[in-house]
């Protein structure tokens, strides 16, 4: 699993190259110190077609595992991030950058950046940067 750091137009292009699908999540941790710097809110999205060897979270490979992601989910996440001591949001999986998950993940990222422009967003993915850059726009 790799941590991906992209910003601006390229990240938006990658995340909007989507197939229509509902996003599910397996867990939301609202006081997580294991998945990024500082105390964070972590969202574990469901769904992954990569099935990486040694995956630490293989129970989230099914796209319909867990709970459906909706507007109330985003509100809950944003509310959990309000305290000053929350450094940011971590997005894990499953595979957040699977084409089936990108629309829902983008919605979460945009809402988070609008509410908390100074808090960081970390995302773990099994994709290599070269794979994402080579995908058709």
């Amino acid at each position: 699993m790799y941590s991906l750091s992209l910003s601006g137009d390229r990240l938006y292009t990658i995340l909007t190259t989507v197939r229509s699908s509902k996003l599910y999540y397996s867990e939301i941790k609202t006081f997580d110190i294991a998945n990024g710097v500082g105390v964070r809110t972590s969202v574990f999205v469901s769904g992954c077609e990569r099935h990486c060897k040694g995956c630490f979270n293989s129970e989230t490979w099914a796209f319909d595992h867990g709970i459906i992601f909706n507007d109330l989910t985003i509100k809950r996440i944003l509310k959990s991030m309000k305290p000053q001591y929350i450094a940011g949001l971590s997005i894990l999986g499953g595979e957040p950058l699977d084409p089936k998950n990108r629309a829902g993940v983008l919605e979460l990222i945009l809402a988070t950046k609008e509410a908390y422009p100074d808090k960081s967003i970390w995302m773990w993915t099994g994709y290599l940067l070269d794979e994402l850059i080579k995908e058709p726009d």
Side-chain angles (χ1 to χ4, degrees), residues 14-125:
I14 289 168
L15 288 170
T16 55
T17 307
V18 299
R19 288 181 268 175
S20 180
S21 180
K22 294 200 180 282
L23 181 65
Y24 283 75
Y25 68 96
S26 65
E27 186 176 9
I28 297 172
K29 293 183 178 184
T30 58
F31 193 93
D32 190 0
I33 59 171
N35 293 300
V37 173
V39 181
R40 310 180 68 77
T41 294
S42 293
V43 178
F44 294 80
V45 302
S46 296
C48 180
E49 294 178 345
R50 299 184 66 83
H51 300 181
C52 299
K53 184 177 179 177
C55 176
F56 77 99
N57 215 6
S58 59
E59 65 273 10
T60 65
W61 287 352
F63 285 91
D64 60 355
H65 172 79
I67 304 163
I68 196 157
F69 195 91
N70 58 34
D71 290 341
L72 291 175
T73 311
I74 291 177
K75 287 178 184 176
R76 176 180 166 212
I77 292 165
L78 294 178
K79 183 178 179 183
S80 77
M81 295 178 66
K82 188 173 183 174
Q84 194 68 24
Y85 62 84
I86 299 294
L89 174 68
S90 293
I91 306 171
L92 306 93
E95 176 52 69
L97 292 181
D98 186 283
K100 293 178 184 176
N101 289 339
R102 291 178 186 174
V105 169
L106 177 61
E107 184 178 0
L108 174 59
I109 289 171
L110 293 175
T112 301
K113 274 305 184 189
E114 183 177 329
Y116 306 110
D118 296 328
K119 294 194 182 205
S120 65
I121 299 175
W122 289 29
M123 184 184 313
W124 279 259
T125 180

